[in-house]
Amino acid sequence: TSGPARRIDISLTVFEANHPKTPVPLGPFDAQKIYTWMQSASVNGDTPLGEAIVAAARPVLASPLPNKHVIVITDGFSNVGDDPVVVLPRLDKEAEKKQAVIFFHFIAFDLQPIVFAPLEKLGATVLQAHRPVELETQLNFIIEQKVLVEKE
């Protein structure tokens, strides 16, 4: 037997010139919106990963949905701004104040995941991908094995 369909909201936050931009605001999951943005995207510059995590987590924390997940895909390690190792516990505390839990999942695209070992020690999922097909596989893993079934 299956229960009611589960609602999944998603947003896409990116950084351009070290400023957050949300090409896909938080709303019902629409894969086509994400893929359309990805096809036209170009990335370059610094990697303010701490700020990216905070910018992505804000609408998630404000969402009335009880299950909160932030998926970060990065092709660079944090080299400017707040350290993600400081940011994650701060966001965890914000979630606790709302009687919620927030989960973080990272895909290191074309990077060695060891760079993100400190985040893994904080409970984050850390995966690796080198090609677009691997990225899709890792995203599917996170969505199917972490988000939908909430295995933590």
Side-chain angles (χ1 to χ4, degrees), residues 28-97:
F29 178 72
D30 182 346
Q32 189 57 48
K33 286 182 183 178
I34 302 293
Y35 289 126
T36 298
W37 177 84
M38 288 175 66
Q39 290 172 342
S40 66
S42 66
V43 291
N44 52 32
D46 289 331
T47 304
L49 201 51
E51 282 82 356
I53 295 165
V54 170
R58 288 283 172 238
V60 172
L61 285 168
S63 166
L65 297 176
N67 307 309
K68 302 175 186 305
H69 294 263
V70 174
I71 301 171
V72 178
I73 303 168
T74 182
D75 65 348
F77 59 90
S78 190
N79 61 3
V80 65
D82 290 341
D83 186 339
V85 172
V86 174
V87 168
L88 261 60
R90 194 169 62 215
L91 293 169
D92 281 338
K93 286 181 183 169
E94 285 186 41
E96 285 175 20
K97 288 178 187 174

Coordinates of all heavy atoms in Angstrom, one line a residue, residues 28-97:
P28 N 7.5 23.7 -5.8 CA 7.3 22.3 -6.2 C 8.4 21.8 -7.2 O 8.8 22.6 -8.1 CB 6.0 22.2 -6.8 CG 5.2 23.3 -6.2 CD 6.2 24.4 -6.0
F29 N 8.9 20.6 -6.9 CA 10.0 20.1 -7.7 C 9.7 20.1 -9.2 O 8.6 19.6 -9.6 CB 10.4 18.7 -7.3 CG 11.5 18.0 -8.1 CD1 12.8 18.5 -8.0 CD2 11.2 17.0 -9.0 CE1 13.8 17.9 -8.7 CE2 12.2 16.4 -9.7 CZ 13.5 16.9 -9.6
D30 N 10.6 20.7 -10.0 CA 10.4 20.7 -11.5 C 11.8 20.5 -12.1 O 12.6 21.4 -12.2 CB 9.8 22.0 -11.9 CG 9.6 22.1 -13.4 OD1 10.1 21.2 -14.2 OD2 8.9 23.0 -13.8
A31 N 12.1 19.2 -12.4 CA 13.4 18.9 -12.9 C 13.7 19.7 -14.2 O 14.9 20.1 -14.4 CB 13.5 17.4 -13.2
Q32 N 12.8 20.0 -15.0 CA 13.0 20.7 -16.2 C 13.6 22.1 -16.0 O 14.5 22.5 -16.7 CB 11.8 20.8 -17.1 CG 12.0 21.3 -18.5 CD 13.1 20.5 -19.2 OE1 13.0 19.3 -19.3 NE2 14.1 21.1 -19.8
K33 N 13.1 22.8 -14.9 CA 13.7 24.1 -14.6 C 15.2 24.0 -14.2 O 16.0 24.8 -14.7 CB 12.9 24.7 -13.4 CG 11.6 25.2 -13.8 CD 10.9 25.9 -12.6 CE 9.5 26.3 -12.9 NZ 8.9 26.9 -11.7
I34 N 15.5 23.0 -13.5 CA 16.9 22.8 -13.1 C 17.8 22.4 -14.3 O 18.8 23.0 -14.5 CB 17.1 21.6 -12.0 CG1 16.2 22.0 -10.8 CG2 18.5 21.4 -11.7 CD1 16.6 23.1 -10.0
Y35 N 17.3 21.5 -15.1 CA 18.1 21.1 -16.3 C 18.2 22.3 -17.3 O 19.3 22.4 -17.9 CB 17.5 19.9 -17.0 CG 17.6 18.6 -16.2 CD1 16.5 17.8 -15.9 CD2 18.9 18.2 -15.7 CE1 16.7 16.7 -15.1 CE2 19.0 17.1 -15.0 CZ 17.9 16.3 -14.7 OH 18.1 15.2 -13.9
T36 N 17.2 23.1 -17.4 CA 17.3 24.2 -18.3 C 18.3 25.2 -17.9 O 19.2 25.7 -18.7 CB 15.9 24.9 -18.4 OG1 14.9 24.0 -19.0 CG2 16.0 26.2 -19.3
W37 N 18.4 25.4 -16.6 CA 19.4 26.3 -16.0 C 20.8 25.7 -16.2 O 21.7 26.4 -16.7 CB 19.2 26.6 -14.5 CG 20.3 27.5 -14.1 CD1 20.4 28.9 -14.2 CD2 21.6 27.1 -13.5 NE1 21.6 29.3 -13.7 CE2 22.3 28.2 -13.2 CE3 22.1 25.8 -13.1 CZ2 23.6 28.2 -12.7 CZ3 23.4 25.8 -12.6 CH2 24.1 26.9 -12.4
M38 N 20.9 24.4 -16.0 CA 22.3 23.8 -16.1 C 22.8 23.8 -17.5 O 24.0 24.0 -17.7 CB 22.2 22.3 -15.6 CG 22.0 22.2 -14.1 SD 21.8 20.5 -13.5 CE 23.4 19.8 -13.9
Q39 N 21.9 23.7 -18.5 CA 22.4 23.8 -19.9 C 22.9 25.1 -20.3 O 23.8 25.2 -21.2 CB 21.2 23.3 -20.8 CG 20.9 21.9 -20.7 CD 19.7 21.5 -21.4 OE1 18.9 22.3 -21.8 NE2 19.5 20.2 -21.7
S40 N 22.5 26.2 -19.6 CA 22.9 27.5 -20.0 C 24.0 28.1 -19.0 O 24.4 29.2 -19.2 CB 21.7 28.5 -20.1 OG 21.2 28.6 -18.8
A41 N 24.3 27.3 -18.0 CA 25.1 27.9 -16.9 C 26.6 27.9 -17.3 O 27.1 27.1 -18.1 CB 25.0 27.0 -15.7
S42 N 27.3 28.9 -16.8 CA 28.7 29.0 -16.8 C 29.2 29.3 -15.5 O 28.6 30.2 -14.8 CB 29.2 30.0 -17.9 OG 28.9 31.3 -17.5
V43 N 30.2 28.7 -15.0 CA 30.7 28.9 -13.6 C 32.2 29.3 -13.7 O 32.9 28.8 -14.5 CB 30.5 27.7 -12.7 CG1 29.0 27.5 -12.4 CG2 31.1 26.4 -13.3
N44 N 32.5 30.3 -12.9 CA 33.9 30.7 -12.7 C 34.1 31.5 -11.5 O 33.1 31.9 -10.9 CB 34.4 31.4 -14.0 CG 33.5 32.6 -14.4 OD1 32.9 33.2 -13.5 ND2 33.3 32.8 -15.6
G45 N 35.3 31.8 -11.1 CA 35.5 32.7 -10.0 C 35.8 31.9 -8.7 O 36.0 30.7 -8.7
D46 N 35.7 32.7 -7.6 CA 35.9 32.1 -6.3 C 34.8 31.2 -5.9 O 33.7 31.2 -6.5 CB 36.0 33.2 -5.2 CG 37.3 34.0 -5.4 OD1 38.3 33.5 -5.8 OD2 37.3 35.2 -5.0
T47 N 35.0 30.5 -4.8 CA 34.0 29.6 -4.3 C 33.7 29.9 -2.8 O 34.3 29.5 -1.9 CB 34.5 28.1 -4.4 OG1 34.8 27.8 -5.7 CG2 33.4 27.1 -3.9
P48 N 32.7 30.8 -2.6 CA 32.3 31.1 -1.3 C 31.3 30.1 -0.7 O 30.1 30.4 -0.6 CB 31.6 32.5 -1.5 CG 31.0 32.4 -2.9 CD 32.0 31.5 -3.7
L49 N 31.8 28.9 -0.5 CA 30.9 27.8 -0.2 C 30.1 28.0 1.1 O 28.9 27.6 1.1 CB 31.8 26.5 0.0 CG 31.1 25.2 -0.1 CD1 30.2 25.1 -1.4 CD2 32.1 24.1 -0.1
G50 N 30.7 28.6 2.1 CA 29.9 28.9 3.3 C 28.7 29.8 3.0 O 27.6 29.5 3.5
E51 N 28.9 30.8 2.3 CA 27.8 31.7 1.9 C 26.8 31.0 1.0 O 25.6 31.3 1.1 CB 28.3 33.0 1.2 CG 28.9 34.0 2.2 CD 30.4 33.7 2.5 OE1 30.9 32.7 2.1 OE2 31.0 34.5 3.3
A52 N 27.3 30.2 0.1 CA 26.4 29.4 -0.7 C 25.5 28.5 0.1 O 24.3 28.4 -0.1 CB 27.2 28.6 -1.7
I53 N 26.0 27.9 1.1 CA 25.3 27.0 2.0 C 24.2 27.8 2.7 O 23.0 27.4 2.8 CB 26.2 26.2 2.9 CG1 27.1 25.3 2.2 CG2 25.4 25.4 4.0 CD1 28.3 24.7 3.0
V54 N 24.6 28.9 3.3 CA 23.6 29.8 4.0 C 22.5 30.2 3.1 O 21.3 30.2 3.4 CB 24.3 30.9 4.7 CG1 23.3 32.0 5.2 CG2 25.3 30.5 5.8
A55 N 22.9 30.7 1.9 CA 21.9 31.2 0.9 C 20.9 30.1 0.5 O 19.7 30.4 0.4 CB 22.6 31.8 -0.3
A56 N 21.4 28.9 0.3 CA 20.6 27.8 -0.1 C 19.7 27.3 1.1 O 18.6 26.9 0.9 CB 21.4 26.6 -0.6
A57 N 20.2 27.4 2.3 CA 19.5 26.9 3.5 C 18.4 27.8 3.9 O 17.4 27.4 4.5 CB 20.5 26.7 4.6
R58 N 18.5 29.1 3.7 CA 17.5 30.1 4.2 C 16.1 29.7 3.7 O 15.2 29.6 4.6 CB 17.9 31.5 3.7 CG 19.0 32.1 4.5 CD 18.6 32.5 5.9 NE 19.9 32.9 6.5 CZ 20.3 32.3 7.7 NH1 19.6 31.4 8.2 NH2 21.4 32.7 8.2
P59 N 15.8 29.6 2.4 CA 14.4 29.2 2.0 C 14.0 27.8 2.5 O 12.9 27.6 2.8 CB 14.4 29.3 0.5 CG 15.9 29.2 0.1 CD 16.7 29.7 1.2
V60 N 15.0 26.9 2.7 CA 14.7 25.6 3.1 C 14.3 25.7 4.6 O 13.3 25.1 5.0 CB 15.9 24.7 3.0 CG1 15.7 23.3 3.6 CG2 16.2 24.5 1.5
L61 N 15.0 26.4 5.4 CA 14.6 26.6 6.8 C 13.3 27.3 7.0 O 12.6 27.0 7.9 CB 15.7 27.3 7.6 CG 17.0 26.6 7.9 CD1 18.1 27.5 8.3 CD2 16.7 25.5 8.9
A62 N 13.0 28.2 6.1 CA 11.7 28.9 6.2 C 10.5 28.1 5.7 O 9.4 28.4 5.9 CB 11.8 30.2 5.4
S63 N 10.8 27.0 4.9 CA 9.7 26.2 4.4 C 8.9 25.5 5.5 O 9.5 25.1 6.5 CB 10.3 25.1 3.5 OG 9.4 24.1 3.2
P64 N 7.6 25.4 5.3 CA 6.8 24.7 6.3 C 7.0 23.1 6.2 O 6.5 22.4 7.1 CB 5.4 25.1 5.9 CG 5.4 25.3 4.5 CD 6.8 25.9 4.2
L65 N 7.6 22.6 5.2 CA 7.8 21.2 5.1 C 8.7 20.7 6.2 O 9.7 21.3 6.6 CB 8.4 20.8 3.7 CG 7.5 21.2 2.5 CD1 8.2 20.9 1.2 CD2 6.2 20.4 2.6
P66 N 8.4 19.5 6.8 CA 9.1 19.1 8.0 C 10.5 18.5 7.6 O 11.4 18.6 8.5 CB 8.2 18.0 8.5 CG 7.5 17.5 7.3 CD 7.2 18.7 6.5
N67 N 10.7 18.1 6.5 CA 12.0 17.4 6.1 C 12.8 18.4 5.2 O 12.3 18.8 4.2 CB 11.7 16.1 5.3 CG 10.8 15.2 6.1 OD1 11.0 15.0 7.3 ND2 9.7 14.8 5.5
K68 N 14.0 18.7 5.7 CA 14.8 19.8 5.1 C 16.1 19.2 4.7 O 16.9 18.7 5.5 CB 14.9 20.9 6.0 CG 13.6 21.5 6.5 CD 13.7 22.6 7.5 CE 12.3 23.0 8.0 NZ 11.3 23.4 7.1
H69 N 16.4 19.3 3.4 CA 17.7 18.9 2.8 C 18.3 20.0 1.9 O 17.6 20.6 1.2 CB 17.5 17.6 2.0 CG 17.0 16.4 2.7 ND1 17.9 15.5 3.2 CD2 15.8 16.1 3.2 CE1 17.2 14.5 3.8 NE2 15.9 14.9 3.8
V70 N 19.6 20.1 2.0 CA 20.3 21.0 1.2 C 21.3 20.2 0.4 O 22.1 19.5 1.0 CB 21.0 22.2 2.0 CG1 21.9 23.0 1.0 CG2 20.0 23.0 2.7
I71 N 21.3 20.3 -0.9 CA 22.2 19.5 -1.8 C 23.1 20.6 -2.4 O 22.7 21.5 -3.0 CB 21.5 18.7 -2.9 CG1 20.5 17.7 -2.2 CG2 22.5 18.0 -3.8 CD1 19.6 17.0 -3.2
V72 N 24.4 20.4 -2.2 CA 25.4 21.3 -2.7 C 26.3 20.6 -3.8 O 26.8 19.5 -3.5 CB 26.3 21.8 -1.6 CG1 27.4 22.8 -2.2 CG2 25.5 22.5 -0.5
I73 N 26.3 21.2 -5.0 CA 27.2 20.6 -6.0 C 28.2 21.7 -6.2 O 27.9 22.8 -6.5 CB 26.4 20.4 -7.3 CG1 25.2 19.4 -7.1 CG2 27.3 19.9 -8.4 CD1 24.3 19.3 -8.2
T74 N 29.5 21.3 -6.1 CA 30.5 22.3 -6.2 C 31.7 21.8 -7.0 O 32.0 20.6 -6.8 CB 31.0 22.9 -4.8 OG1 32.0 23.9 -5.0 CG2 31.5 21.7 -3.9
D75 N 32.3 22.6 -7.8 CA 33.5 22.3 -8.5 C 34.8 22.9 -7.8 O 35.8 23.0 -8.4 CB 33.4 22.6 -10.0 CG 33.3 24.1 -10.2 OD1 33.1 24.8 -9.2 OD2 33.5 24.5 -11.3
G76 N 34.6 23.5 -6.6 CA 35.7 24.1 -6.0 C 35.5 24.0 -4.5 O 34.4 23.8 -3.9
F77 N 36.7 24.0 -3.8 CA 36.6 24.1 -2.3 C 36.5 25.5 -1.9 O 36.7 26.4 -2.6 CB 37.9 23.4 -1.7 CG 39.1 24.1 -2.1 CD1 39.7 25.2 -1.4 CD2 39.8 23.7 -3.2 CE1 40.8 25.8 -1.8 CE2 41.0 24.3 -3.6 CZ 41.5 25.4 -2.9
S78 N 36.0 25.7 -0.6 CA 35.7 27.0 -0.1 C 37.0 27.8 0.0 O 37.9 27.4 0.7 CB 35.0 26.9 1.2 OG 34.6 28.2 1.6
N79 N 37.1 28.9 -0.8 CA 38.3 29.7 -0.7 C 38.1 31.2 -0.4 O 39.0 32.0 -0.5 CB 39.1 29.6 -2.1 CG 38.3 30.0 -3.3 OD1 37.2 30.5 -3.1 ND2 38.8 29.9 -4.4
V80 N 36.9 31.5 0.0 CA 36.6 32.9 0.3 C 35.3 32.9 1.2 O 34.4 32.0 1.1 CB 36.3 33.8 -0.9 CG1 35.1 33.3 -1.7 CG2 36.2 35.2 -0.6
G81 N 35.3 33.8 2.2 CA 34.1 33.8 3.1 C 34.1 32.9 4.2 O 35.1 32.3 4.6
D82 N 32.9 32.7 4.8 CA 32.7 31.8 6.0 C 33.1 30.4 5.7 O 32.8 29.8 4.6 CB 31.3 31.8 6.5 CG 30.9 33.1 7.1 OD1 31.9 33.9 7.5 OD2 29.7 33.4 7.2
D83 N 33.7 29.7 6.6 CA 34.1 28.3 6.5 C 32.9 27.4 6.7 O 32.1 27.6 7.7 CB 35.2 28.0 7.6 CG 35.7 26.6 7.5 OD1 35.1 25.7 6.8 OD2 36.8 26.3 8.0
P84 N 32.6 26.5 5.7 CA 31.4 25.7 5.9 C 31.4 24.9 7.2 O 30.4 24.5 7.7 CB 31.6 24.7 4.7 CG 32.3 25.5 3.7 CD 33.3 26.3 4.5
V85 N 32.6 24.6 7.7 CA 32.7 23.8 9.0 C 32.1 24.6 10.1 O 31.5 24.1 11.1 CB 34.1 23.4 9.3 CG1 34.3 22.8 10.7 CG2 34.6 22.4 8.3
V86 N 32.1 25.9 10.0 CA 31.4 26.8 11.0 C 30.0 27.0 10.7 O 29.1 27.1 11.6 CB 32.2 28.2 11.1 CG1 31.4 29.2 12.0 CG2 33.6 28.0 11.5
V87 N 29.6 27.1 9.4 CA 28.3 27.3 9.0 C 27.3 26.2 9.3 O 26.2 26.4 9.7 CB 28.3 27.7 7.4 CG1 26.9 27.7 6.9 CG2 29.0 29.0 7.2
L88 N 27.7 25.0 9.0 CA 26.8 23.8 9.2 C 26.3 23.7 10.6 O 25.0 23.6 10.8 CB 27.4 22.5 8.8 CG 27.0 22.0 7.4 CD1 27.4 23.0 6.3 CD2 27.6 20.6 7.1
P89 N 27.1 23.8 11.7 CA 26.5 23.7 13.0 C 25.6 24.9 13.4 O 24.6 24.7 14.1 CB 27.8 23.8 13.9 CG 28.9 23.3 13.1 CD 28.6 23.7 11.7
R90 N 25.9 26.1 12.8 CA 25.1 27.2 13.0 C 23.7 27.0 12.4 O 22.6 27.3 13.0 CB 25.7 28.5 12.4 CG 25.1 29.8 12.9 CD 26.0 30.9 12.5 NE 26.1 31.1 11.0 CZ 27.2 31.5 10.4 NH1 28.3 31.8 11.1 NH2 27.3 31.5 9.1
L91 N 23.6 26.4 11.2 CA 22.3 26.1 10.6 C 21.6 25.0 11.3 O 20.4 25.0 11.4 CB 22.6 25.8 9.1 CG 23.0 27.0 8.3 CD1 23.5 26.6 6.9 CD2 22.0 28.1 8.2
D92 N 22.3 24.0 11.8 CA 21.7 23.0 12.6 C 21.0 23.6 13.8 O 19.9 23.2 14.1 CB 22.8 22.0 13.1 CG 23.2 21.0 12.0 OD1 22.4 20.8 11.0 OD2 24.3 20.4 12.1
K93 N 21.6 24.5 14.4 CA 21.0 25.2 15.6 C 19.7 25.9 15.2 O 18.8 25.9 15.9 CB 22.0 26.1 16.3 CG 23.0 25.3 17.1 CD 24.0 26.2 17.8 CE 25.1 25.3 18.5 NZ 26.2 26.0 19.0
E94 N 19.8 26.6 14.1 CA 18.6 27.3 13.6 C 17.5 26.4 13.3 O 16.3 26.7 13.7 CB 18.9 28.1 12.3 CG 19.7 29.4 12.5 CD 19.9 30.2 11.3 OE1 19.0 30.3 10.5 OE2 21.0 30.7 11.1
A95 N 17.8 25.2 12.7 CA 16.8 24.2 12.5 C 16.2 23.7 13.8 O 15.0 23.5 13.9 CB 17.3 23.1 11.6
E96 N 17.0 23.4 14.8 CA 16.6 22.9 16.1 C 15.6 23.9 16.7 O 14.6 23.5 17.3 CB 17.8 22.7 17.0 CG 18.6 21.5 16.7 CD 19.8 21.3 17.6 OE1 19.9 21.9 18.7 OE2 20.7 20.6 17.1
K97 N 15.9 25.2 16.6 CA 15.0 26.2 17.2 C 13.6 26.1 16.5 O 12.6 26.5 17.2 CB 15.5 27.6 16.9 CG 16.7 27.9 17.8 CD 17.2 29.3 17.5 CE 18.5 29.6 18.3 NZ 19.1 30.9 17.9

